Amino acid sequence: MDEQATFNHPLQTFPEHLIRMGWTSHFQTALEELPSPCTPARVIGGCKNSFLVNQGTTPFSVAPAATLEYTPEGIQPVVGDWVVVKDEIITSVLERRNILVRGAAGSKHKQKTGQVKEQIMAANIDTVFIVCGLDRDFNLRRLERYLTLVYNCGLTPAIVLTKADLEQHPQQRADEVEAIAFGVPVHLISAHEENGLSALDGYLAPGQTVTLIGSSGAGKSTLINRLYGADLQATGAVSKRVGKGRHTTTTRDLITLPSGGMVIDNPGMREITFSDDHGALDTTFPEIEFLTRSCRFADCSHTHEPGCQVLDGVASGQIPRERLDSYLKMQRELAFFANKEQKSAPQIEKETWKGVSLKIKAMKKGKKKG
Ligand SMILES: Nc1nc2c(ncn2[C@@H]2O[C@H](COP(=O)(O)OP(=O)(O)O)[C@@H](O)[C@H]2O)c(=O)[nH]1
Ligand SMILES: [Mg+2]
Ligand SMILES: [Zn+2]
């Protein structure tokens, strides 16, 4: 059967091999917007001038066209992207469902100079595993930052506490995390002892894409290797002296697991910055946000004001002091970006895609008339 005919028939279900790779009606719509029928492929590896793509059979290498058509200016393919490939050249990137960015703060200027682009870690993600080792990596404040980053991108987090074998009271740790992670699933696992891994199955059904973030040495690559059933990703021994892993992950390949789910590893993130388009701070700190509504002053900074419900909450032991500090610190960062009138990279992305879509529509209309 002619496959291309399938893509252009909206009533037909999508080809099985595409669904397995994460194809959804979102991409179908994007594909159908293009003026001529095309075959989509998913980017599963590579960067800059050479990418590995999958069309459902054997992955093959492609180069991006010097100028991508129907793709916003400055956008380059990243792992997880759906692209159009013609004669071993990527000609277009299909509109992304979402992106995970290292620093969600960007600006129009930055995007023009290509800086935001480099911060994009992966595209078209269903779940982000925030991986934290139950060794010296364990840090509630850092988890709050990762959560805020994920919410900032409009993505769905799940927290994976790994190296449970190294902790005497792992459940206690999990409880501590649950107390700061309001409703985010927390999974306790040991990659070494292969404990708790089945709890992750739900995220890794065929067609689902998961990406892993966390500090270097947290145990991300080891987890991927366990899930895959063989050593694919290089792992680094944690240096006992500094308690930090060496940077070992050099590729960010999209790996298809035996379960049919797909995972993208990431190197550790040293730096996280954000702005706040998705109300990320409210989502990370809902109990503080709730109290702020009852502060006596509408512009209460929750640092010294009389009638501050948040400070009362700290005084009564309802809110841990460190948690409020963490909230205030991130709020200061957000305010900094707000003052600079910077938009977040995901927000900029969304806007540029809208522009392209309108252009294509206008073009088609022009064609019909002419
Ligand atoms: N004891 C124990 N060590 C682990 C576990 N998972 C990873 N490690 C170790 O932690 C170190 C860093 O792991 P790695 O997967 O490279 O971390 P990444 O930087 O997040 O990819 C390696 O020495 C692993 O062997 C675990 O479940 N238990
Ligand atoms: Mg790694
Ligand atoms: Zn207050």
Short mmCIF file of all heavy atoms in Angstrom, two decimals, residues 162-163 165-166 190-192 215-222 234-238 248-249, ligand 1:
data_model
loop_
_atom_site.label_atom_id
_atom_site.label_comp_id
_atom_site.label_asym_id
_atom_site.label_seq_id
_atom_site.Cartn_x
_atom_site.Cartn_y
_atom_site.Cartn_z
N THR A 162 16.76 6.89 43.29
CA THR A 162 17.50 5.67 43.00
C THR A 162 18.59 5.43 44.05
O THR A 162 18.75 6.23 44.97
CB THR A 162 18.06 5.70 41.56
OG1 THR A 162 18.68 4.44 41.30
CG2 THR A 162 19.05 6.82 41.36
N LYS A 163 19.30 4.34 43.92
CA LYS A 163 20.33 3.92 44.88
C LYS A 163 19.72 3.67 46.26
O LYS A 163 20.36 3.94 47.28
CB LYS A 163 21.45 4.97 44.98
CG LYS A 163 22.05 5.37 43.63
CD LYS A 163 23.31 6.19 43.82
CE LYS A 163 23.71 6.86 42.50
NZ LYS A 163 24.92 7.64 42.61
N ASP A 165 19.46 1.09 47.67
CA ASP A 165 20.30 0.11 48.37
C ASP A 165 21.36 0.76 49.25
O ASP A 165 21.93 0.13 50.13
CB ASP A 165 20.96 -0.83 47.35
CG ASP A 165 21.75 -0.08 46.29
OD1 ASP A 165 21.12 0.56 45.39
OD2 ASP A 165 22.98 -0.10 46.32
N LEU A 166 21.64 2.04 49.00
CA LEU A 166 22.67 2.73 49.77
C LEU A 166 22.11 3.43 51.00
O LEU A 166 22.86 3.99 51.80
CB LEU A 166 23.39 3.77 48.90
CG LEU A 166 24.21 3.24 47.72
CD1 LEU A 166 24.86 4.39 46.98
CD2 LEU A 166 25.27 2.25 48.21
N SER A 190 16.20 0.74 43.13
CA SER A 190 17.63 0.50 43.12
C SER A 190 17.96 -0.13 41.77
O SER A 190 17.46 -1.21 41.45
CB SER A 190 18.05 -0.44 44.25
OG SER A 190 19.35 -0.95 43.96
N ALA A 191 18.77 0.57 41.00
CA ALA A 191 19.16 0.02 39.71
C ALA A 191 20.10 -1.16 39.91
O ALA A 191 20.02 -2.16 39.21
CB ALA A 191 19.82 1.10 38.85
N HIS A 192 20.96 -1.04 40.92
CA HIS A 192 21.91 -2.13 41.17
C HIS A 192 21.22 -3.42 41.58
O HIS A 192 21.57 -4.49 41.13
CB HIS A 192 22.93 -1.71 42.23
CG HIS A 192 24.08 -0.93 41.63
ND1 HIS A 192 25.23 -0.64 42.33
CD2 HIS A 192 24.24 -0.40 40.40
CE1 HIS A 192 26.05 0.04 41.55
NE2 HIS A 192 25.47 0.21 40.37
N SER A 215 21.35 15.43 38.60
CA SER A 215 22.77 15.78 38.66
C SER A 215 23.61 14.70 38.01
O SER A 215 23.17 13.56 37.86
CB SER A 215 23.24 15.90 40.10
OG SER A 215 22.23 16.34 40.92
N SER A 216 24.82 15.08 37.68
CA SER A 216 25.78 14.11 37.20
C SER A 216 26.09 13.15 38.35
O SER A 216 26.32 13.58 39.47
CB SER A 216 27.04 14.85 36.77
OG SER A 216 27.92 13.97 36.16
N GLY A 217 26.01 11.86 38.07
CA GLY A 217 26.27 10.88 39.12
C GLY A 217 25.02 10.42 39.85
O GLY A 217 25.09 9.55 40.72
N ALA A 218 23.87 10.99 39.49
CA ALA A 218 22.61 10.64 40.15
C ALA A 218 22.25 9.17 39.92
O ALA A 218 21.66 8.53 40.78
CB ALA A 218 21.48 11.54 39.66
N GLY A 219 22.59 8.67 38.74
CA GLY A 219 22.28 7.27 38.41
C GLY A 219 21.38 7.12 37.20
O GLY A 219 20.77 6.07 37.00
N LYS A 220 21.32 8.15 36.36
CA LYS A 220 20.44 8.13 35.19
C LYS A 220 20.84 7.06 34.18
O LYS A 220 20.02 6.26 33.74
CB LYS A 220 20.46 9.51 34.50
CG LYS A 220 20.01 10.65 35.36
CD LYS A 220 20.10 11.98 34.65
CE LYS A 220 21.53 12.43 34.32
NZ LYS A 220 22.36 12.69 35.51
N SER A 221 22.12 7.08 33.81
CA SER A 221 22.56 6.14 32.77
C SER A 221 22.47 4.70 33.26
O SER A 221 22.09 3.80 32.50
CB SER A 221 24.00 6.47 32.35
OG SER A 221 24.06 7.80 31.87
N THR A 222 22.78 4.49 34.53
CA THR A 222 22.67 3.14 35.09
C THR A 222 21.23 2.65 35.02
O THR A 222 20.96 1.50 34.67
CB THR A 222 23.15 3.14 36.56
OG1 THR A 222 24.45 3.72 36.61
CG2 THR A 222 23.22 1.73 37.11
N ALA A 234 27.33 4.93 28.92
CA ALA A 234 28.49 4.89 29.81
C ALA A 234 28.07 5.40 31.18
O ALA A 234 27.32 6.35 31.29
CB ALA A 234 29.59 5.77 29.25
N THR A 235 28.52 4.74 32.22
CA THR A 235 28.23 5.22 33.57
C THR A 235 29.54 5.59 34.24
O THR A 235 30.59 5.06 33.90
CB THR A 235 27.51 4.16 34.41
OG1 THR A 235 28.34 3.00 34.49
CG2 THR A 235 26.18 3.78 33.80
N GLY A 236 29.47 6.48 35.22
CA GLY A 236 30.68 6.94 35.87
C GLY A 236 30.68 6.58 37.33
O GLY A 236 29.68 6.76 38.00
N ALA A 237 31.78 6.06 37.81
CA ALA A 237 31.88 5.78 39.24
C ALA A 237 31.90 7.11 39.97
O ALA A 237 32.48 8.08 39.51
CB ALA A 237 33.15 4.99 39.53
N VAL A 238 31.22 7.16 41.10
CA VAL A 238 31.20 8.40 41.87
C VAL A 238 32.49 8.49 42.65
O VAL A 238 32.87 7.59 43.38
CB VAL A 238 30.00 8.40 42.84
CG1 VAL A 238 30.09 9.60 43.79
CG2 VAL A 238 28.70 8.43 42.08
N THR A 248 29.88 11.55 31.93
CA THR A 248 30.15 10.41 31.08
C THR A 248 29.23 10.33 29.87
O THR A 248 29.61 9.82 28.84
CB THR A 248 30.01 9.10 31.87
OG1 THR A 248 28.88 9.22 32.72
CG2 THR A 248 31.26 8.83 32.69
N THR A 249 27.99 10.84 30.00
CA THR A 249 27.05 10.73 28.89
C THR A 249 27.42 11.74 27.81
O THR A 249 27.35 12.93 28.04
CB THR A 249 25.60 10.98 29.35
OG1 THR A 249 25.39 10.16 30.47
CG2 THR A 249 24.62 10.64 28.26
N1 LIG B 1 24.61 1.49 44.89
C1 LIG B 1 24.08 1.95 43.77
N2 LIG B 1 24.84 2.67 42.92
C2 LIG B 1 24.28 3.12 41.78
C3 LIG B 1 22.92 2.87 41.47
N3 LIG B 1 22.65 3.47 40.28
C4 LIG B 1 23.81 4.04 39.88
N4 LIG B 1 24.80 3.84 40.78
C5 LIG B 1 26.19 4.27 40.66
O1 LIG B 1 26.25 5.68 40.64
C6 LIG B 1 27.30 6.11 39.77
C7 LIG B 1 26.77 7.13 38.78
O2 LIG B 1 25.83 6.51 37.96
P1 LIG B 1 25.48 7.02 36.49
O3 LIG B 1 24.39 6.15 36.00
O4 LIG B 1 26.68 7.14 35.66
O5 LIG B 1 24.94 8.49 36.81
P2 LIG B 1 24.49 9.63 35.77
O6 LIG B 1 25.58 10.64 35.74
O7 LIG B 1 23.24 10.20 36.37
O8 LIG B 1 24.24 8.98 34.45
C8 LIG B 1 27.85 4.85 39.13
O9 LIG B 1 29.03 4.50 39.80
C9 LIG B 1 26.79 3.83 39.35
O10 LIG B 1 27.30 2.52 39.45
C10 LIG B 1 22.14 2.10 42.40
O11 LIG B 1 20.93 1.83 42.22
N5 LIG B 1 22.78 1.66 43.53
#
